[in-house]
Amino acid sequence: MQYKQLEVFPNHFLWGASISAYQAEGAYQEDGKLPSIIDEYQHNEDVAGFEVASDFYHHYKEDILLFKELGLKAFRFSIAWTRIMGKNPEDKNQKGIDFYHRVIDECLKNGIEPIVTMYHFDLPYHLEEQGGWLNRKTIEHFVDYVNVLFTEYGDKINYWLTINEQNTMILHPGAIGLPKQGSLPTKKELFQMNHHVLLAQARAIALHHQLGLKGKIGPAINLTAMYQATAKPEDAIAAHNWETLRGWSFLDAAVRGKYNYLFEKYLNDRKIYPKIKAEDFDILAAGKPDFVAINYYSTATISASKNDGSDVSPRAGDQQIMLGEEGVYRAAENPYVDKTPYGWVVDPTGLRLTLRKLYDRYELPILITENGYGAPDTIDEEGKIQDTDRIHYLAKHITAIQEALTDGVDVIGYLPWSAIDVVSTHQGFNKRYGFIYVDRTDKELKTLKRIRKDSFYWYQKVIAQNGLD
Ligand code: BGP
């Protein structure tokens, strides 16, 4: 649809930005923090580790003041489970609890809405040693942790996100590192883990509602619309297969409280259906979210599976993420889109389409919790970081959101990745996303000084005028 005039952004639109604990905080062994799987897994040795990251743990005050100057209405960060809980459910780590009180209070003091992700890939390692998400008991540990979050911060937080990108965790387990011993879980194990994570999420949502806490709670999935490579009917079926298995199967369980029909069929046919207890569907049904959050970067283009052993291939420029599945789909090229320096498809119209499809399906408010442009930014002779490509990327996506709002989609906020430069999980510190440059490289910690990029001043203006020029 083309409109004569686009609607303006609503007055309370949540203009924000995001980070996660392990990619920003550093202080990985400080003040009683336990190791997480991220600390223990093997990562690309040529790039930065997570020990110091952007040192947000020690710079949070300065950073939040910069976010205020940027004009952020909302700041999304994750809480590290490993800073809050000890090894036993009754052990809590007061220093970790206090740290997040300080972060939240600092945001509130500066007029910034704190948006909290409960779980962003960083399972406590002692739980991993007991089977991790494959062990049903991990659900109880998660609920204990969530109980502490609600008790401590429940009266301060208006937006809770349960699990970040459950679909990335399950479909691309190598994306967050490789276990030191042993190999990645099998598909059957992954879908059993998926079931437990769904239950953990539903329990957290139900608990939030039972406690009558203020605010809202929802899942955060990496969602993208899929294009069929050609008008060939088989390509259309493959695109629908993968759109369902990659996105809707996770969200249908979270929002509708039941497994998607095609997903069930796939699990049964491949003999990877998880063990499900009779009461599990009641648990899922009792945990309906108030809104849906999505991380959106790119669309994918799909052609029919050849089912001859050649469907699986690595994502462009990224050997750790495999695309394609025998009998399901193949990844195809899209000649109509640009790419980032890291080979990620740039497709703002795809965001509008994704938002429309998501709203069609559930009619719930939508929060965009990630979107951004990863690039190796550099400081020029004048000390400036001219990240013009990032500005263009963000501007086009903001236009797409405005178009979706005009379509009638209820988008409540936009929180690009990332507020400041953080460590990219397996591509290190060279792949930067922030509005604020952090002076370090993969190998050298340097000053960790914060420097405003050109995109900082640009986004500041966008927020101040509640939209683009
Ligand atoms: C999302 C994750 C983020 C962040 C982002 C960018 O999948 O939720 O944690 O890392 O992707 O990805 P990358 O750092 O690999 O470029």
Side-chain angles (χ1 to χ4, degrees):
M1 205 99 67
Q2 292 174 11
Y3 300 106
K4 298 219 164 55
Q5 187 150 17
L6 295 182
E7 306 249 334
V8 295
F9 281 87
N11 278 338
H12 298 291
F13 192 76
L14 292 166
W15 294 103
S18 290
I19 61 165
S20 79
Y22 76 89
Q23 291 170 280
E25 285 175 3
Y28 81 123
Q29 290 179 325
E30 220 166 300
D31 290 340
K33 179 186 171 295
L34 295 178
S36 76
I37 53 173
I38 299 289
D39 301 317
E40 296 293 326
Y41 275 11
Q42 295 175 50
H43 303 282
N44 181 352
E45 282 178 7
D46 298 333
V47 301
F50 304 99
E51 298 85 350
V52 179
S54 320
D55 204 24
F56 178 74
Y57 195 77
H58 299 111
H59 288 253
Y60 73 92
K61 272 198 180 183
E62 174 192 346
D63 290 343
I64 293 171
L65 274 182
L66 279 166
F67 301 158
K68 183 188 181 187
E69 184 187 326
L70 176 56
L72 294 192
K73 310 265 185 233
F75 169 49
R76 170 193 179 225
F77 58 93
S78 74
I79 290 185
W81 185 345
T82 47
R83 284 200 198 279
I84 300 288
M85 303 299 283
K87 286 199 174 169
N88 303 306
E90 55 286 359
D91 298 340
K92 296 168 191 66
N93 179 24
Q94 198 55 48
K95 284 189 172 166
I97 292 173
D98 291 346
F99 169 67
Y100 293 109
H101 271 300
R102 292 198 297 276
V103 171
I104 292 168
D105 292 345
E106 203 63 25
C107 286
L108 294 173
K109 196 173 91 188
N110 288 295
I112 299 171
E113 183 78 63
I115 298 186
V116 173
T117 315
M118 297 169 160
Y119 182 84
H120 197 119
F121 301 153
D122 50 356
L123 184 73
Y125 194 65
H126 65 97
L127 296 180
E128 173 84 348
E129 288 178 312
Q130 296 160 44
W133 284 112
L134 200 50
N135 184 346
R136 205 175 156 107
K137 287 193 188 132
T138 299
I139 302 171
E140 300 311 318
H141 289 281
F142 183 72
V143 175
D144 290 336
Y145 159 60
V146 167
N147 235 313
V148 176
L149 297 186
F150 289 155
T151 309
E152 291 292 336
Y153 316 117
D155 59 345
K156 299 181 180 178
I157 299 300
N158 283 319
Y159 296 92
W160 293 96
L161 305 164
T162 52
I163 312 282
N164 180 68
E165 295 196 1
Q166 181 173 344
N167 51 345
T168 300
M169 278 162 57
I170 301 301
L171 300 172
H172 305 295
I176 56 169
L178 301 172
K180 271 196 184 137
Q181 286 102 21
S183 45
L184 289 169
T186 62
K187 275 226 157 106
K188 186 166 173 59
E189 289 170 336
L190 285 164
F191 286 107
Q192 188 65 55
M193 292 160 77
N194 182 54
H195 184 65
H196 294 157
V197 178
L198 287 172
L199 292 174
Q201 169 167 271
R203 294 266 305 273
I205 295 175
L207 184 62
H208 183 272
H209 293 156
Q210 276 156 24
L211 293 172
L213 294 172
K214 70 167 193 166
K216 295 178 169 38
I217 183 163
I221 287 286
N222 184 308
L223 197 72
T224 171
M226 303 286 167
Y227 300 130
Q228 53 195 73
T230 69
K232 209 163 108 192
E234 290 75 13
D235 286 354
I237 290 292
H240 186 252
N241 284 343
W242 188 229
E243 191 167 281
T244 305
L245 296 184
R246 187 188 182 278
W248 303 132
S249 61
F250 294 88
L251 279 179
D252 284 356
V255 180
R256 296 176 171 162
K258 57 182 191 186
Y259 275 41
N260 173 283
Y261 74 97
L262 196 60
F263 180 48
E264 285 217 306
K265 193 48 105 184
Y266 163 81
L267 295 172
N268 271 318
D269 182 75
R270 269 51 175 179
K271 305 215 170 355
I272 51 177
Y273 201 85
K275 281 194 201 107
I276 298 185
K277 292 190 178 181
E279 69 262 28
D280 289 358
F281 287 109
D282 295 334
I283 297 174
L284 291 182
K288 298 273 172 74
D290 305 310
F291 66 92
V292 179
I294 59 161
N295 298 346
Y296 172 89
Y297 289 88
S298 307
T299 41
T301 301
I302 303 300
S303 58
S305 154
K306 289 192 179 162
N307 211 10
D308 61 357
S310 71
D311 284 337
V312 180
S313 59
R315 184 165 76 183
D318 195 345
Q319 297 299 313
Q320 257 154 303
I321 306 244
M322 302 306 281
L323 298 176
E325 185 171 342
E326 292 295 312
V328 179
Y329 79 103
R330 285 173 81 86
E333 281 297 316
N334 186 340
Y336 304 105
V337 292
D338 291 334
K339 287 190 176 165
T340 72
Y342 283 86
W344 289 27
V345 161
V346 176
D347 182 10
T349 306
L351 173 57
R352 181 181 182 191
L353 181 62
T354 304
L355 291 169
R356 282 160 67 145
K357 286 187 169 188
L358 177 62
Y359 196 59
D360 274 353
R361 200 164 180 111
Y362 308 119
E363 291 191 341
L364 283 175
I366 301 168
L367 188 60
I368 301 167
T369 41
E370 285 182 32
N371 172 239
Y373 187 84
D377 302 330
T378 48
I379 310 182
D380 67 16
E381 310 84 64
E382 291 169 43
K384 286 187 177 164
I385 298 113
Q386 301 193 27
D387 53 343
T388 317
D389 290 342
R390 177 167 301 110
I391 293 173
H392 289 155
Y393 176 99
L394 295 171
K396 285 186 211 154
H397 285 80
I398 290 172
T399 303
I401 297 167
Q402 203 174 354
E403 287 167 347
L405 279 165
T406 309
D407 291 331
V409 179
D410 185 10
V411 187
I412 58 174
Y414 179 59
L415 300 120
W417 187 264
S418 50
I420 53 171
D421 287 343
V422 300
V423 187
S424 162
T425 308
H426 54 275
Q427 286 166 315
F429 227 93
N430 202 37
K431 190 185 193 189
R432 296 170 185 264
Y433 285 87
F435 293 105
I436 299 163
Y437 186 90
V438 176
D439 181 33
R440 65 160 292 181
T441 63
D442 277 324
K443 295 286 172 213
E444 236 190 308
L445 279 181
K446 298 176 106 176
T447 62
L448 292 169
K449 199 175 143 205
R450 278 52 178 153
I451 307 168
R452 297 160 189 82
K453 300 185 193 176
D454 282 3
S455 60
F456 179 99
Y457 299 107
W458 170 84
Y459 195 41
Q460 188 181 49
K461 189 167 165 229
V462 171
I463 299 175
Q465 62 193 25
N466 198 32
L468 299 166
D469 284 331

